[in-house]
Amino acid sequence: MTARVGVVTFPGSLDDGDAARAVRIAGAEPVRLWHGDPELHGVDAVVLPGGFSYGDYLRCGAIARFAPVMETIVDAARGGLPVLGICNGFQILCEAHLLPGALTRNQHLHFRNRDQVLRIEAVGTAWTNAFQPGQEVLIPVKNGEGCYVADPATLDRLEAEGRVVARYVGGNPNGSQRDIAAITNEAGNVVGIMPHPEHAVEALTGPSLDGLGFFTSVLKHLVGAPA
C-alpha cells in the first residue's frame, strides 16, 4: 500500500507544490492539506512547506501555528506522526513548541539564496535514516529569517542528545548558532530544516539529488513502524 504524505498549504505558502512533487518522486502519494481544515485525511506523515505563511506578519510562523490544521498536527506529532518542517515550516514547528528555539533575522540582515553544503549528523530520525553519519549533501538555502537561536542550555541539550540533524559546512548562510541547519525532537519523528531538500530531487532543476533522501527516509520509517 502506497504511503500517503500530507503537504499543508497556508496563505502565502510558496513551496507546497515542490514538496508534493518531491513526495511523488520519492514514491509516495502526496495529499494536499488546507490550513483551515483540521482533518488530516488519513495521511501517514506531514510536510510543512516553505514560503511566507500569512505574509510572515507578526513573526514568521506565529500566525500559522494557530491554524486549525496545526492543532491536529501538533496532537498527532506528539503521538508519533512524522512531520517535516522546511524553512517556514521549521519556523512554524518552533512557534508550535514541537521543536525548541527560534528562527530569527539573518545576522547579516540580507536574504540568502544559494546552494549550500550540509553535514548530516543524526540519521536515526524518521526523515534522515537514508543517510550515513557525516554524509555531506548539497541543498539550496533561501531565507531571510533563518538564524537558529536558543539559550545555551537548550543548545547543549540538543548536542548531548544527538538532536542536531544537520549543520552548515563551508560557510554559515545566516549566522545560526553552532552552524545548526536542522534539529529534531526527542522522539525523532519531528524534524525542522532551514534549507530546501524538495529543491534537490531532480537533476533538471536542482544542484543535486541529495534532498530526495529526506523523503525516501520517511517511507522507510513507515514500513518499519508498528501497525
Side-chain angles (χ1 to χ4, degrees), residues 113-117 137-142 169 199 205-208:
N113 183 3
R114 73 187 193 196
D115 297 332
Q116 176 70 46
V117 178
V137 298
L138 182 65
I139 293 175
V141 64
K142 53 175 189 176
V169 175
H199 293 332
T205 57
S208 72

Side-chain angles (χ1 to χ4, degrees), residues 35-132:
H35 70 105
D37 180 2
E39 294 296 323
L40 299 186
H41 303 284
V43 299
D44 303 300
V46 167
V47 176
L48 303 179
F52 307 91
S53 59
Y54 297 90
D56 278 350
Y57 292 116
L58 185 60
R59 189 173 59 246
C60 297
I63 299 176
R65 169 253 190 277
F66 292 102
V69 74
M70 281 304 301
E71 296 182 17
T72 311
I73 289 171
V74 168
D75 289 340
R78 289 176 176 155
L81 181 77
V83 179
L84 176 66
I86 303 170
C87 196
N88 188 222
F90 188 2
Q91 296 163 339
I92 294 169
L93 290 176
C94 290
E95 290 287 344
H97 305 297
L98 287 174
L99 293 174
L103 285 306
T104 62
R105 184 74 173 162
N106 292 353
Q107 280 192 345
H108 45 66
L109 304 182
H110 295 285
F111 188 93
R112 277 290 180 268
N113 183 3
R114 73 187 193 196
D115 297 332
Q116 176 70 46
V117 178
L118 308 179
R119 182 174 61 249
I120 305 297
E121 299 202 350
V123 297
T125 81
W127 298 92
T128 55
N129 59 68
F131 299 102
Q132 297 298 316

Side-chain angles (χ1 to χ4, degrees), residues 165-202:
V165 172
R167 296 184 204 267
Y168 298 112
V169 175
N172 185 327
N174 46 43
S176 288
Q177 293 179 329
R178 304 193 190 182
D179 296 328
I180 291 174
I183 61 172
T184 187
N185 65 340
E186 292 182 5
N189 62 303
V190 177
V191 169
I193 181 168
M194 186 47 56
H196 288 261
E198 80 280 15
H199 293 332
V201 297
E202 292 182 293

